[in-house]
């Protein structure tokens, strides 16, 4: 009964006119950036974060969340129709989805993706509503030692799941943690790494780092590798799968939903890992594996379901522990903080309308996405004809104005330029900026809980091993580090992300 009462509170909040409107705006923008290759939800959320500061907290979070899971839907449309994934997790959908389109079955592929996404999103939203409250109650029992070990575990698991070199991912996390220490010491007020710059005394602005690393750096990379995007698509027909297709997609949708719901809570690229894992599972258990890569509808339904389920369950560690599972969730942490809310287990009791309203809005957003995607396929594909030379100046201008408006300080705009150039250099060196942002967000939390635990224990470091939960989390962190360093695991991780590249 308590769950039903909470969901009733959530829907009463989510169905307010302004919240439905901004949920629609969020999923609309999310679909658009999912369709357009090279922009992505991380850059979009980073650049729109400044304008949400004047919104009510629940309205801002509903819109930003809609952008994220809306992009998962949008990425599949162009992957299927023109073999150009708008989102990294949609790369595997293109393998069979585009083959189906070439065979004149684009409608069935798009319908399978939409149906799978809706079912997975609905199930994962229910899982979020059921799992979040007990997890939050457990998290309330955590002390500084447990939180330190949990954050450390999250950072190390994100290394294990990062694409490319684990050593480079570790270096990015360390750099992010170091950047997070810039400013005045949290206990003594002593300036650290400020280089006599008054603007650095309050620390490096989170929005400047996010916009620079994921907005400007991505734009520079896209300008260097500008693709000729031609969208010549015949009218899509038969937007409903046949009886045979419906029978074939039931199993993949259910398995993909389960896989995605489980993998979505992992730090790093859980949604990308979920879609590739689902494809591998479907191919392995299929009685006709030779059909995969040649237009198997199971190769569309499974990965799309896994991808969207993971997108929803990635909110579980954010809402219950205050820990981001990947860069978009790190931006959501920033959104909570700038609205004066500390993300974590207290949100469910201190801000119940926000907590349950956000969860309820995800189901509303999934309904809106089904209504948006199938009827407007032609509109989304035509967006690809917009020249990138027109898009990128508008994006940079919009991001700069938004960031400047935060504190009316030109230093924040200079910071965007600096971190944009730094992000571009790191990308050229084969380093992904995502672990850096996770380190930047979690670094202060790591330091604060480390020092608090040592103060309470009077400087005795054994406190991290004598407390059972902390000891278990540290053991898991060591195990994850060992697994990430094993040559066989490294090769398998590279093989998983090969298609994405």
């Amino acid at each position: 009964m308590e769950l039903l009462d909470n969901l009733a509170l959530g829907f009463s909040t989510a169905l307010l006119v302004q919240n439905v409107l901004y949920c629609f705006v969020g999923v609309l923008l999310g679909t658009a950036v999912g369709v357009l290759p090279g922009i992505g939800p991380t850059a979009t959320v980073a650049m729109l974060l400044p304008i949400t500061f004047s919104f009510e907290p629940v309205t801002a979070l509903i819109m930003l969340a809609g952008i994220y899971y809306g992009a998962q839907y949008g990425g599949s449309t162009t992957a299927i129709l023109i073999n150009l994934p708008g989102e990294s997790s949609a790369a595997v959908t293109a393998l069979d989805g585009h083959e189906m389109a070439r065979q004149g079955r684009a409608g069935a592929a798009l319908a399978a993706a939409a149906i799978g996404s809706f079912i997975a999103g609905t199930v994962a939203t229910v899982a979020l509503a059921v799992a979040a409250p007990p997890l939050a109650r457990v998290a309330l029992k955590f002390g500084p030692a447990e939180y330190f070990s949990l954050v450390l575990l999250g950072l190390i698991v994100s290394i294990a799941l990062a694409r490319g070199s684990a050593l480079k991912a570790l270096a990015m996390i360390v750099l992010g943690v170091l950047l997070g220490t810039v400013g005045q010491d949290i206990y003594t007020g002593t300036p650290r790494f400020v280089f006599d710059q008054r603007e650095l005394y309050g620390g490096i602005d989170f929005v400047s780092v996010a916009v620079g690393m994921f907005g400007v750096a991505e734009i520079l990379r896209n300008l260097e590798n500008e693709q000729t995007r031609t969208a010549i698509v015949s009218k899509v027909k038969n937007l409903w799968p046949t009886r045979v297709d419906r029978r074939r997609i039931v199993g993949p949708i259910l398995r993909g939903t389960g896989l995605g719901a489980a993998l979505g809570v992992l730090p790093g690229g859980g949604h990308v890992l979920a879609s590739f894992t689902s494809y591998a599972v479907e191919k392995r258990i299929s009685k006709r594996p030779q059909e995969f890569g040649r237009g198997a509808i199971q190769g569309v339904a499974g990965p799309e379901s896994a991808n969207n389920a993971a997108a929803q369950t990635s909110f579980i560690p954010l809402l219950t522990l205050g820990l981001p599972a990947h860069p978009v969730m790190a931006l959501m942490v920033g959104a909570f903080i700038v609205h004066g809310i500390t993300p974590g287990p207290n949100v469910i009791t201190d801000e119940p309308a926000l907590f349950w309203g956000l969860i309820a809005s995800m189901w509303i957003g999934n309904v809106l996405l089904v209504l948006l995607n199938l009827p407007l396929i032609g509109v989304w594909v035509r967006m690809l004809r917009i020249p990138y030379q027109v898009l990128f100046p508008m994006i940079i201008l919009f991001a700069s104005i938004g960031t400047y408006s935060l504190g009316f300080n030109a230093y924040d705009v200079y910071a965007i330029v600096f971190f944009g150039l730094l992000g571009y250099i790191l990308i050229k060196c084969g380093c992904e900026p995502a672990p850096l942002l996770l380190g930047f967000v979690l670094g202060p939390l790591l330091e604060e809980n480390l020092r608090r635990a040592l103060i309470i224990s009077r400087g005795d470091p054994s406190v991290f091993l004598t407390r059972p939960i902390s000891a278990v989390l540290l053991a898991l962190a060591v195990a994850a580090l060992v697994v990430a360093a094993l040559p066989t695991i490294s090769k398998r991780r590279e093989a998983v992300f090969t298609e994405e590249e």
Side-chain angles (χ1 to χ4, degrees):
M1 281 300 295
E2 184 182 359
L3 177 61
L4 294 177
D5 290 340
N6 288 329
L7 287 175
L9 171 64
F11 277 104
S12 67
T13 303
L15 288 172
L16 293 174
V17 174
Q18 72 268 25
N19 291 339
V20 174
L21 174 63
Y22 281 106
C23 182
F24 176 78
V25 170
V27 297
L28 183 69
L29 284 171
T31 303
V33 300
V35 166
L36 291 170
I39 299 178
T42 308
T44 307
V45 171
M47 290 184 286
L48 290 180
L49 188 58
I51 71 165
T52 65
F53 295 163
S54 60
F55 296 177
E56 287 294 317
V58 65
T59 304
L61 292 167
I62 284 172
M63 189 184 88
L64 295 175
I67 292 171
Y68 172 56
Y69 56 80
Q72 312 308 315
Y73 270 76
S76 64
T77 302
T78 46
I80 290 169
L81 294 178
I82 57 176
N83 199 27
L84 194 61
E87 247 289 282
S88 56
S89 51
V92 71
T93 305
L95 298 177
D96 284 282
H98 187 60
E99 283 299 315
M100 290 181 68
R102 291 178 63 184
Q103 297 164 15
R105 301 182 63 222
L110 290 164
I115 293 167
S117 297
F118 177 74
I119 292 173
T122 301
V123 172
T125 302
V126 173
L128 172 58
V130 171
L135 274 174
R137 284 194 290 272
V138 171
L140 285 171
K141 299 176 182 178
F142 279 23
E146 286 81 6
Y147 260 109
F148 169 79
S149 302
L150 182 66
V151 173
L152 187 64
L153 173 62
L155 289 174
I156 290 176
V157 171
S158 70
I159 295 170
L161 296 179
R163 75 186 86 165
S165 167
L167 186 61
K168 288 180 178 178
L170 175 61
M172 289 297 95
I173 283 179
V174 171
L175 179 58
V177 171
L178 288 174
L179 289 171
T181 63
V182 172
Q184 290 180 298
D185 184 280
I186 55 176
Y187 288 107
T188 66
T190 304
R192 301 183 298 187
F193 309 116
V194 297
F195 305 106
D196 292 326
Q197 296 296 313
R198 180 177 54 82
E199 291 85 356
L200 291 177
Y201 273 66
I204 297 173
D205 185 63
F206 169 79
V207 175
S208 298
V209 175
V211 173
M213 283 285 181
F214 290 96
V216 177
E218 283 296 318
I219 285 170
L220 292 174
R221 178 161 65 172
N222 291 330
L223 287 174
E224 186 182 57
N225 301 314
E226 171 65 355
Q227 304 175 52
T228 302
R229 299 196 293 256
T230 55
I232 305 171
V233 183
S234 58
K235 187 175 181 180
V236 178
K237 300 177 182 178
N238 303 321
L239 275 172
W240 189 250
T242 63
R243 183 181 298 178
V244 174
D245 286 337
R246 291 199 297 273
R247 192 170 64 247
R248 286 185 174 185
I249 66 176
V250 170
I253 287 175
L254 296 177
R255 286 187 290 271
T257 300
L259 275 171
L263 294 174
V265 299
L266 296 176
H271 61 300
V272 179
L273 187 65
S275 60
F276 280 86
T277 303
S278 173
Y279 188 85
V281 167
E282 294 306 321
K283 187 174 182 180
R284 177 161 294 189
I285 68 174
S286 176
K287 296 178 181 177
R288 295 178 293 274
Q290 68 277 6
E291 291 183 1
F292 282 76
R294 299 178 181 178
I297 197 167
Q298 301 96 314
V300 176
E304 279 301 302
S305 302
N307 171 26
N308 283 272
Q312 309 284 344
T313 56
S314 62
F315 283 85
I316 291 177
L318 172 71
L319 293 174
T320 59
L321 302 170
L323 300 178
H326 50 76
V328 176
M329 293 300 109
L331 292 166
M332 295 292 286
V333 169
F336 271 98
I337 291 170
V338 297
H339 283 285
I341 300 168
T342 302
N346 288 316
V347 172
I348 194 169
T349 52
D350 295 347
E351 302 281 349
L354 182 148
F355 183 92
W356 293 105
L358 180 59
I359 290 176
S361 75
M362 293 179 187
W363 188 82
I364 296 170
N366 275 287
V367 173
L368 291 172
L369 282 164
V370 172
L371 299 176
L372 272 174
N373 275 264
L374 293 180
L376 299 178
I377 286 166
V379 174
W380 302 125
V381 176
R382 287 190 193 98
M383 284 182 61
L384 291 165
R385 294 175 180 161
I386 301 174
Y388 199 70
Q389 289 84 350
V390 174
L391 277 177
F392 87 82
M394 295 169 60
I395 294 170
I396 289 181
L397 177 65
F398 188 69
S400 300
I401 292 172
T403 306
Y404 178 76
S405 67
L406 294 181
F408 297 100
N409 190 343
Y411 188 84
D412 293 334
V413 180
Y414 301 150
I416 290 177
V417 176
F418 173 79
F419 284 106
L421 293 173
L422 177 62
Y424 177 70
I425 292 168
L426 291 173
I427 290 169
K428 296 299 290 181
C429 293
C431 300
E432 286 295 318
L436 185 148
L437 188 65
L438 289 176
F440 180 74
V441 171
L442 294 178
L445 189 61
L446 190 75
E447 181 195 8
E448 182 179 354
N449 284 289
L450 170 65
R451 295 175 68 175
R452 190 179 294 170
L454 290 174
I455 289 170
I456 292 171
S457 67
R458 298 179 183 274
D460 182 8
S462 66
V463 66
F464 299 105
L465 300 176
T466 55
R467 295 178 68 93
I469 296 176
S470 175
V472 169
L473 292 171
L474 284 178
L476 290 173
V478 172
L481 195 59
V482 170
V483 167
L486 290 175
T488 52
I489 299 296
S490 297
K491 290 178 182 177
R492 179 163 294 187
R493 186 178 68 242
E494 289 172 10
V496 165
F497 290 107
T498 297
E499 292 291 348
E500 186 187 341
E501 300 296 336

